[in-house]
Amino acid sequence: MTDFTLEKHDDGVAIITWDCPGKVMNVLTREAFSLVENMLDDCLADDAVKGIVITSGKPDFAAGMDLNVLAAVAAEGGDAPEQATFDFIMNGHRILRKIERAGMDPKTLKGGKPIATAMPGTGLGIGFEIPLATHRIFAAPNPKAKIGLPEILVGIFPGAGGTTRLVRKMGAMAASPYLLEGKTLAPEKAKAAGLIDEVADDPVQAAREWVLNATDGDIVKPWDAKGYKMPGGAPYHPAGFMTYVGASAMVHANTWGVYPAAKALLSAAYEGALVPFDTALTIEARHFTGVLCHPSSSAMIRSLFINKGALEKGAVRPEGVEDQKVKKVGILGAGMMGAGIAYVSAKAGIEVVLLDQKQEAADKGKAYSETLLDKAISRKRSTPEKKEALLNLIEATTDYQALKDCDLIVEAVFEDPGIKATVTKAVEEVVGEDTIFATNTSTLPISELAKASARPEQFIGIHFFSPVDKMLLVEIIKGKETGDRATAKALDYVRQIRKTPIVVNDARFFYANRCIIPYINEGIRMVKEGVAPAMIEHAAKLVGMPLGPLQLVDETSIDLGVKIAKATKAAMGDAYPDSAVDEVIFWMADEGRLGKKANAGFYEYDEKGKRQGLWSGLADQYPVAADQPELIEVQHRLLFAQVLEAVRALEEGVLMDIREGDVGAILGWGFAPWSGGPLSWLDMLGAPYTAERCDALQAAYGDRFACPDLLRDMAKKSQKFYKRFAPEAKAA
Ligand code: NAD
């Protein structure tokens, strides 16, 4: 069995069908690409073949390149990974260019064979770059299909000619949403935008007729024809100049300069626009090589594509536990979290019982789904029928008897152990013996809460992040007695609601909050020390954090910080390390500057709640010092505060798998995605340098930066996390 098959028909049309055996979606492998070339050579040499149609045997066309291949090519290059990668890319260009020239005479541009693509559904990445090299693209009117080049979203850019062809086809300005933002479109819209040529009920038939009737002129790409002018103007044209200057500024504003792929994409587009097409492809290949061999790209691919996918497919699911798919979920507490959890569950088709103390509160929780759905309808992302069906799945109630048939309970009542114990007992009186009970607590130890349960092996933490409908990560926390079935249930549930799970052991603040709190605290400490708040915020953004620590604490609210600080101090007693931070946030709270919700925090807000500049009054209490630290020092303090917690979590067995540490950090709190996550970042720095930096930071700022034993040991051995803890190393 092979990924591509060739059929030559009597009417002179050869059909090349892409159908990867045993896969739901076509992805391109190296072997398959040379197979396509052989088929192409065969058809071009065969006089009986008048034209070629490339299509798919699956409902979709193709999902793109197998990203595992891209990661492997550089690794296989040994001492010369860049050369191996460049050669690999150039070989791809050669094959695609052969499709595009289709055997025509290079001088007269005559005598080529028409080649069209017939897409039954989705075509992404190289699954759209191959069609772009053909002479005409037909797509079925499949509203679920997505067409485009989303490479930028995993830290690379379209490097199989997609960048060069799209810029030449549409112009840089028109191409920018597809290249720079990875925007994809359904077929009708893709046609209107000029990404594809035709939408046809039977795209293979339409393509077939087209290739049989196409003339020499029809198959010459504009950029190969004489007198080609780039739509929107080349970079040296006034309009083109404006486009590139604007795009460069826009990319920098969005990426703060930390994503190599965005910069390389712009360079490939700009430099490529100044030279002939084939040279442009070589330039694209050079920039693409740079991106693929950049440690950031491989780390992003590893975390955001390979490992995220593995976790979603159940990489850490306990073996041998039968399917635990949830049929009916009971949600206790219809507040902010409960309402969100009800929505995402019903959206996945799960029946929901949403319970609160008062009917009014339960109804309000259900109304939250209605609000989200109305918004989705107004944006044409849902329909009144879907809204009704989803709302029908949610029963808002105060009656515990309604929970009787639930196979999973998610508790999201107030963060109070007494109340949580009461509801746990009340639920266990009505539900079946097999029901799994999950708590959404963010701060209380799972093993302690499980004491209220008669079935602690069926008790687990399922920690959602706010806002539930937007956040992609769910943290599953195992208490001391949590059994495999509860873990499998939580994982199967998270899969049903299409989020990414990580599974961690029980410890203060679990994993995500454990790492993010020190980040916020480090920012606040610096305010107290006199570091300019603007420097703190910018240092964070320039190193890839989505929000500076002061903005983040404004968003989550200062009073929540005060509450957590008080509870942590009570639990830790003399060992509590953050009194310096408390002085600042307690003062802020006393001043009524509770953050965004109060329209006053570290930042100022206008009456509509829109964030303005940093609050100038802060300097009266904490004057800005005359001497300011180096940018890198501020960045290292902010990042080390987080990553050392991740290392400690691994050392203590809270984190059980480094993949979860990295994926969880990016999806859970936005840890500098360009780095691939905290452990990937440490691998880039190297353990010896990291240990040195820890020592220097510890000497300057205190023991919170002390080098963990694990890192010290890795430094001695010059080890990397992805070597020492690689899943395969574990299995060996
Ligand atoms: P919330 O105050 O918005 O909602 C709590 C709801 O529980 C209220 O509607 C309340 O009426 C209801 N409730 C209280 N006692 C009850 C009882 N005995 N029976 C039934 N319902 C009862 O709080 P929230 O922000 O939704 O947080 C809920 C839980 O989720 C807490 O444990 C919190 O720590 C956790 N959590 C919150 C966040 C967040 O960002 N807010 C994030 C993750 C986890």
Side-chain angles (χ1 to χ4, degrees), residues 46 563 584:
D46 184 344
K563 219 163 127 189
V584 181

Side-chain angles (χ1 to χ4, degrees), residues 333 335-337 356 412-415 420 423 440 442 463-464 466:
M336 185 169 94
M337 296 306 285
D356 209 300
V413 300
F414 296 139
E415 189 75 336
K420 289 194 189 286
V423 298
N440 180 47
S442 29
H463 182 213
F464 284 88
S466 171

Side-chain angles (χ1 to χ4, degrees), residues 539-581:
K541 292 220 164 169
L542 282 164
V543 81
M545 294 298 295
L547 303 183
L550 306 180
Q551 189 187 341
L552 185 57
V553 71
D554 264 12
E555 303 268 336
T556 51
S557 90
I558 306 275
D559 47 333
L560 179 67
V562 169
K563 219 163 127 189
I564 292 176
K566 284 188 177 158
T568 314
K569 193 168 185 171
M572 292 181 77
D574 289 345
Y576 183 69
D578 292 325
S579 302
V581 176

